[in-house]
């Protein structure tokens, strides 16, 4: 078949899998594959060539092929193996995209809920001490957008040394014990106003029940 005929078929029907030859009468397989992906067609593609050229294979994978086969391996077993791999990879990639989209939606919903309730949140990853601030926490603490999320940034907003000690002692209590704590302290914003903050700190465990955040 030709590239033109192939695109006509793609316009008229949907397919679970595409076998694409590197050499076609009116185009090369890499250009066709790039056009397929540019059209938003996500159907898995197995790229076929008469040459065992690793450069062509690399170009095909980078262009969006799910697998690559030289014609010398076009046996029933070889095709079956390649089809299973291509479909498994496609399902895995599709699931990952759906999961990432769901996480973005949930993150947006959480952000909107926090904004409405005027509740901010922060997290510390105990494996690398990386700290995260929610958008609403930035607004509540009146922090600059460029402010680096850190425990030091939180401490710098607390008005008294007693409240700093309270904050640190409660954080250590949660780190060292499987408990949830709540307490209040005051902060001073960059505009000089005093705010009373209610903190609620809990531990989060990973899938192996190890302390994570």
């Amino acid at each position: 078949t030709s590239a033109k005929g192939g695109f006509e078929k793609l316009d008229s029907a949907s397919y679970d899998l595409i076998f694409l030859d590197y050499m076609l009468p009116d185009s090369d397989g890499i250009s066709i594959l790039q056009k397929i992906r540019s059209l938003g067609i996500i159907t898995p593609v197995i790229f076929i060539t008469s040459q065992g050229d690793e450069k062509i294979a690399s170009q095909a994978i980078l262009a969006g092929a799910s697998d690559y086969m030289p014609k010398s391996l076009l046996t029933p077993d070889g095709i079956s193996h390649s089809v299973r791999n291509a479909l498994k990879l496609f399902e895995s990639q599709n699931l990952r995209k759906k999961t990432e989209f769901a996480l973005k939606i949930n993150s947006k919903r959480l952000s909107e809920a926090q904004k409405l309730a005027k509740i901010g949140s922060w997290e510390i990853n105990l494996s690398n001490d990386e700290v995260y601030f929610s958008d609403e926490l930035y607004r509540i603490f009146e922090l600059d957008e460029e402010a680096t999320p850190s425990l030091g940034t939180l401490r710098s907003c607390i008005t008294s040394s007693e409240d700093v000690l309270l904050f640190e002692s409660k954080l250590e209590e949660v780190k060292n014990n499987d408990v949830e704590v709540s307490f209040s302290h005051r902060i001073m914003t960059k505009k000089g106003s005093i705010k009373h903050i209610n903190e609620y700190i809990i531990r989060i465990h990973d899938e192996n029940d190890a302390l994570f955040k």
Side-chain angles (χ1 to χ4, degrees):
T1 187
S2 64
K4 181 180 178 181
F7 282 109
E8 288 175 351
K9 290 181 181 296
L10 287 174
D11 283 338
S12 61
S14 60
Y15 298 88
D16 295 324
L17 185 67
I18 297 172
F19 281 88
L20 178 60
D21 201 333
Y22 176 64
M23 295 299 295
L24 291 174
D26 52 349
S27 186
D28 68 272
I30 298 296
S31 299
I32 295 170
L33 180 55
Q34 291 172 337
K35 185 176 180 179
I36 288 173
R37 294 307 185 223
S38 71
L39 292 173
I41 300 171
I42 63 173
T43 305
V45 173
I46 296 177
F47 201 81
I48 308 297
T49 179
S50 59
Q51 309 169 52
D53 191 328
E54 292 301 321
K55 184 178 180 180
I56 293 175
S58 177
Q59 290 175 340
I61 296 301
L62 289 174
S66 302
D67 202 0
Y68 164 86
M69 290 185 69
K71 289 184 177 178
S72 60
L73 295 181
L74 287 178
T75 63
D77 286 343
I79 293 173
S80 177
H81 178 73
S82 185
V83 168
R84 285 197 301 270
N85 285 344
L87 293 178
K88 185 176 181 180
L89 177 62
F90 176 73
E91 290 174 0
S92 176
Q93 291 173 335
N94 206 26
L95 178 60
R96 177 176 57 80
K97 289 178 181 178
K98 289 181 179 179
T99 301
E100 289 175 350
F101 180 72
L103 288 173
K104 287 180 181 179
I105 294 296
N106 288 336
S107 177
K108 180 67 175 176
R109 287 172 178 166
L110 176 61
S111 178
E112 290 300 319
Q114 288 188 343
K115 186 176 180 179
L116 290 171
K118 299 188 183 303
I119 297 174
S121 62
W122 58 271
E123 299 175 2
I124 178 170
N125 187 323
L126 297 177
S127 64
N128 57 16
D129 290 332
E130 183 177 305
V131 176
Y132 161 82
F133 290 169
S134 71
D135 291 341
E136 188 61 18
L137 185 138
Y138 275 95
R139 285 189 282 268
I140 292 172
F141 280 65
E142 297 180 19
L143 298 171
D144 294 329
E145 291 182 0
E146 297 78 17
T148 301
S150 69
L151 292 180
T153 299
L154 291 177
R155 293 189 191 98
S156 69
C157 297
I158 299 177
T159 57
S160 69
S161 57
E162 290 84 0
D163 279 352
V164 171
L165 289 175
L166 175 65
F167 176 84
E168 292 180 341
S169 66
K170 293 297 184 182
L171 182 58
E172 286 301 313
E173 183 180 350
V174 173
K175 283 183 180 181
N176 297 327
N177 304 282
D178 195 5
V179 296
E180 302 174 2
V181 301
S182 59
F183 60 99
S184 300
H185 62 78
R186 294 166 297 168
I187 64 168
M188 179 179 290
T189 69
K190 63 180 181 181
K191 295 179 182 178
S193 60
I194 301 295
K195 290 185 177 181
H196 292 266
I197 303 296
N198 296 317
E199 294 267 7
Y200 177 67
I201 305 179
I202 63 172
R203 304 198 318 179
I204 299 176
H205 298 263
D206 63 17
E207 63 276 10
N208 297 316
D209 204 34
L211 184 58
F212 177 49
K213 294 181 180 180

